[in-house]
Amino acid sequence: MGFRKIALILICSFSVSALWAQEPGRQHISVSWGFATTLGSNNVINKPTFINPSLEYGYFITDNISLGFSVGWAYNNEKGETEDRLSEDGASSIVTTYTERTLSLVPVQLQGRYFPFGKSRHLSPFITLSTGFQYGTFNITGESGINSHKSSVMGFVVTPDIGVRWYPGKAFRCNLDLRVGYQFGTNKWERYNDNKSQQRIGAQIAFGIAF
């Protein structure tokens, strides 16, 4: 191995060590992945489980309080024979056919997170309250075009959660979050006689970096 390669490796190693040892700033970004399940029954989709990734940004205004925003995605897809009760022009009808049904929800929320014992402990519990708007689409694709329809609805959403953040060291930059939460959205699909708000509970694991 040549001198230049050795020098490059040493420089990179020292740079990474110095970066890790620096006290991080107040900004924080994280990417999460999880699953959520629908509470109660609905007329639009039978499969209760959603995949639930999200992207978050936060800024610590104090050692205990972080303010920021999040963009999430909840997605559900199922195939099979379904019985749909449709409502249109004041009349209701039931259509039974093989369909593919896709429900997608995109919440965009402002977020406040409170760390009662501060943000610098190895294990830091927290509580979060997020609120904003949620865009939802619900599509049905039936056989030969029968019972095929696309619809979209904008709604209000609120998401409280609790969790714990793990830091690998005192002078941290990377961390892992484990959290569980509840989400309430006002999106309704009146064409399918579904007048119930979207309610879900779920769990997520998140990888974050402070800078």
Side-chain angles (χ1 to χ4, degrees):
M1 183 179 295
F3 174 77
R4 291 184 179 179
K5 291 184 179 179
I6 296 175
L8 181 60
I9 292 174
L10 290 175
I11 291 172
C12 291
S13 299
F14 284 128
S15 298
V16 171
S17 299
L19 180 64
W20 183 265
Q22 291 175 1
E23 184 69 20
R26 292 185 174 275
Q27 300 182 81
H28 184 268
I29 189 169
S30 64
V31 178
S32 65
W33 183 268
F35 295 91
T37 185
T38 302
L39 294 177
S41 61
N42 63 77
N43 295 327
V44 297
I45 204 159
N46 298 313
K47 184 179 177 182
T49 303
F50 290 74
I51 61 171
N52 193 31
S54 66
L55 175 67
E56 298 180 356
Y57 169 82
Y59 181 85
F60 281 94
I61 59 173
T62 71
D63 284 342
N64 300 88
I65 299 175
S66 170
L67 300 179
F69 63 89
S70 66
V71 179
W73 183 44
Y75 177 80
N76 197 332
N77 176 269
E78 68 178 5
K79 299 177 182 179
E81 187 173 280
T82 57
E83 183 179 274
D84 297 307
R85 183 181 297 274
L86 306 182
S87 179
E88 194 168 15
D89 298 328
S92 296
S93 60
I94 296 177
V95 179
T96 301
T97 183
Y98 182 90
T99 62
E100 179 178 2
R101 306 152 72 83
T102 302
L103 177 60
S104 179
L105 301 167
V106 180
V108 179
Q109 303 178 87
L110 297 177
Q111 182 184 89
R113 181 163 286 154
Y114 175 63
F115 294 80
F117 304 109
K119 66 182 180 67
S120 300
R121 296 163 58 97
H122 286 297
L123 287 176
S124 298
F126 59 80
I127 57 175
T128 310
L129 181 62
S130 305
T131 185
F133 295 94
Q134 178 172 258
Y135 176 75
T137 60
F138 178 57
N139 300 329
I140 295 180
T141 303
E143 291 181 324
S144 302
I146 300 174
N147 191 21
S148 294
H149 184 74
K150 295 183 179 181
S151 58
S152 60
V153 178
M154 183 70 77
F156 171 78
V157 64
V158 60
T159 310
D161 70 47
I162 59 174
V164 63
R165 177 167 293 176
W166 174 73
Y167 299 109
K170 184 177 180 180
F172 62 88
R173 278 193 176 271
C174 301
N175 65 268
L176 286 176
D177 286 0
L178 294 175
R179 53 183 179 250
V180 294
Y182 165 81
Q183 189 171 84
F184 175 86
T186 61
N187 305 73
K188 299 178 182 180
W189 314 98
E190 295 183 358
R191 186 178 190 274
Y192 303 96
N193 281 349
D194 187 74
N195 295 315
K196 300 177 182 178
S197 299
Q198 297 288 326
Q199 299 184 63
R200 297 188 302 279
I201 56 173
Q204 286 184 319
I205 183 170
F207 173 77
I209 300 176
F211 58 97

